[in-house]
Amino acid sequence: MDVGPYLAGLFEHCPFLRPSVRRGMTGWTVYEIAPGSHRYAVEAELFHAGVQAAEWVRPLMARPFGTLVCENVVLLGQCEDADHRELLAWPHWALKHLYAPVGVMFGKFAQGAVETDRSGRSIPPPPFSFLPVRAGVRPLDPKFLTGTPDLATALAVSVDDGRDVFEHIPCEWKAVREWASSLPRPRKP
């Protein structure tokens, strides 16, 4: 997978991406949906891949240039009962709530999605679906979370004190999804 042209198109939208790529701090993990997989199983696998990426990112955030670290979990293949946007939704929602208090930011990009940045400029549509997992930038990232003020506050005051983000919930997907469904839904602007 050649991600170079896509990344080059994103440089003007994210000031951290070019230096991250130049320093070799942008990684890619690929998860390919097995034929015949169903939504629940794919969501669980994406969630666990996201946890693995976050736990890889966490210790690197404290190192020099730690704000540049980013691991992307790519989703390839098709699921019988959900599209990529649907498959990314629950894992993304749960992961960002689990990890914002320790300063890890999660994004969500579905293949072909047309979006604009904060300045209203068109962002190149992703050639594949993925969850970016990166060091949170406390002065900037809460602006991306205006629909979820509690989450924005958690990220704004985040400190990675080494805590176990699963201290109060089991790490199994069924329990995590149930917990995530109890969280306040985003407010519409």
Side-chain angles (χ1 to χ4, degrees):
M1 213 167 55
D2 181 12
V3 298
Y6 174 62
L7 291 179
L10 295 178
F11 289 159
E12 70 180 277
H13 303 281
C14 176
F16 298 94
L17 186 56
R18 184 186 314 260
S20 176
V21 170
R22 280 189 182 150
R23 291 186 178 276
M25 298 178 81
T26 301
W28 300 90
T29 298
V30 176
Y31 171 73
E32 189 164 1
I33 299 170
S37 293
H38 294 281
R39 177 184 194 149
Y40 185 82
V42 174
E43 286 178 346
E45 291 295 324
L46 281 174
F47 174 76
H48 285 95
V51 168
Q52 185 176 16
E55 294 300 330
W56 180 81
V57 165
R58 284 178 76 178
L60 299 175
M61 295 184 331
R63 293 184 180 176
F65 304 103
T67 56
L68 301 178
V69 68
C70 179
E71 181 68 19
N72 299 282
V73 179
V74 176
L75 176 62
L76 298 177
Q78 299 302 316
C79 184
E80 294 177 5
D81 51 352
D83 64 22
H84 284 196
R85 185 178 304 272
E86 295 167 319
L87 293 169
L88 295 170
W90 277 110
H92 172 257
W93 181 248
L95 289 161
K96 71 183 193 175
H97 281 277
L98 281 168
Y99 283 96
V102 295
V104 178
M105 181 77 167
F106 279 82
K108 172 181 60 164
F109 296 94
Q111 181 177 5
V114 177
E115 296 185 34
T116 57
D117 66 13
R118 290 180 286 167
S119 302
R121 298 174 297 175
S122 293
I123 298 172
F128 44 79
S129 299
F130 67 106
L131 293 172
V133 184
R134 63 175 176 77
V137 181
R138 287 185 294 179
L140 301 175
D141 285 339
K143 295 173 188 173
F144 292 116
L145 304 170
T146 57
T148 51
D150 292 342
L151 189 57
T153 300
L155 187 63
V157 299
S158 65
V159 174
D160 193 350
D161 52 10
R163 77 184 86 162
D164 177 2
V165 299
F166 292 99
E167 182 178 3
H168 301 293
I169 60 169
C171 187
E172 65 179 41
W173 177 236
K174 182 178 180 180
V176 171
R177 195 171 197 274
E178 185 176 314
W179 166 79
S181 69
S182 72
L183 298 168
R185 305 305 289 161
R187 293 188 302 206
K188 301 290 180 195

